[in-house]
Amino acid sequence: MTAQPPGPDGAPGSDGPNRPHPRRPAAMDPAQADRIVGRADPAMREAAAHRTASAVLRRGHDGADAAEVDRLVRLVETEGIEVVAELWADSGADTLPGALWRLYALREWIRRSPVEIAQHFALGSRRAQVAGVVAGAAEPPTPDEMRRVADAVLAGAITADLDVALDRASAFYRVVGTGMALDADLQDLPHGDEAAHATRRANNLVRTADELRDAARRARAGTLE
């Protein structure tokens, strides 16, 4: 099994196949996500996904110290994105492993493309219909601020209120997606492949924002499992 971390197209769409991937977060290029090949029985993979996702939250909620929380936040860096993806990438957004995967994939994308994301967040924050405090970024957003938000969202999910973290991530995706759409308009992209690509990237982000918002509702209701 091989997998590549989200590249510059990461969450916002891809240059890969145009077929949809509804069960994978938009934060991974579909061409990259296709390289994640499951080798275990689907039922066993699903059970393992739920067990490991629950274990991550349990360790964080059971009074983990700062070093342990930091290690959990950096799980993708230490274990490799392909390992985490093999466990969780095929889980639906309405499940705990699927929701956590989207948070980890968001952090990895921000970690690798902070400048681009900061620029799009700045644009999107002027238009997106979400409160800036929900998204959690200070103004003006800088690459370092983007990284801080990514870490804070994951740490919040691991140690405190998962629903709040999912709401923040949803707002963040929506703001950046809006910024990408505005950026395409400002560049007056011609009709054709480039325009379609920019639109697909923005739409993927908004779709993931909707998925995370619904996951937050399930978390509040106690039905995100």
Side-chain angles (χ1 to χ4, degrees):
M1 178 202 72
T2 59
Q4 299 297 322
D9 286 333
S14 73
D15 290 321
N18 291 327
R19 62 184 181 278
H21 291 268
R23 290 182 64 80
R24 292 191 176 104
M28 175 171 281
D29 185 310
Q32 296 163 345
D34 276 346
R35 300 189 188 109
I36 301 168
V37 180
R39 288 175 289 182
D41 176 83
M44 293 176 61
R45 285 172 57 81
E46 182 178 358
H50 286 270
R51 281 199 309 272
T52 52
S54 296
V56 167
L57 289 192
R58 187 164 57 250
R59 291 172 71 174
H61 290 176
D62 287 348
D65 60 21
E68 175 70 0
V69 171
D70 183 67
R71 193 182 73 78
L72 292 173
V73 166
R74 299 179 184 279
L75 186 64
V76 166
E77 294 175 57
T78 57
E79 300 298 326
I81 194 167
E82 67 278 0
V83 173
V84 181
E86 186 174 11
L87 284 169
W88 296 344
D90 285 330
S91 299
D94 57 351
T95 68
L96 179 58
L100 284 183
W101 165 246
R102 283 154 177 77
L103 296 185
Y104 276 102
L106 173 61
R107 180 183 181 273
E108 184 68 3
W109 178 43
I110 291 174
R111 191 172 74 87
R112 294 175 178 270
S113 304
V115 174
E116 176 195 19
I117 294 170
Q119 292 169 346
H120 288 138
F121 189 95
L123 277 174
S125 62
R126 304 169 193 168
R127 184 76 63 86
Q129 299 300 308
V130 297
V133 68
V134 176
E139 295 287 348
T142 64
D144 283 344
E145 178 66 12
M146 295 296 96
R147 295 187 187 96
R148 183 199 66 77
V149 170
D151 286 354
V153 167
L154 253 181
I158 292 167
T159 64
D161 299 317
L162 177 60
D163 61 321
V164 174
L166 292 170
D167 273 331
R168 289 183 66 188
S170 173
F172 191 92
Y173 268 117
R174 193 172 302 280
V175 170
V176 177
T178 300
M180 286 185 173
L182 290 173
D183 188 41
D185 290 342
L186 290 173
Q187 293 182 40
D188 194 23
L189 291 176
H191 295 293
D193 290 344
E194 188 177 2
H197 176 61
T199 300
R200 186 166 62 248
R201 297 180 79 193
N203 288 343
N204 282 347
L205 281 176
V206 173
R207 184 191 68 209
T208 303
D210 290 340
E211 290 175 342
L212 287 169
R213 179 194 59 198
D214 291 341
R217 291 172 178 164
R218 287 177 176 271
R220 277 190 291 274
T223 60
L224 186 69
E225 300 175 347

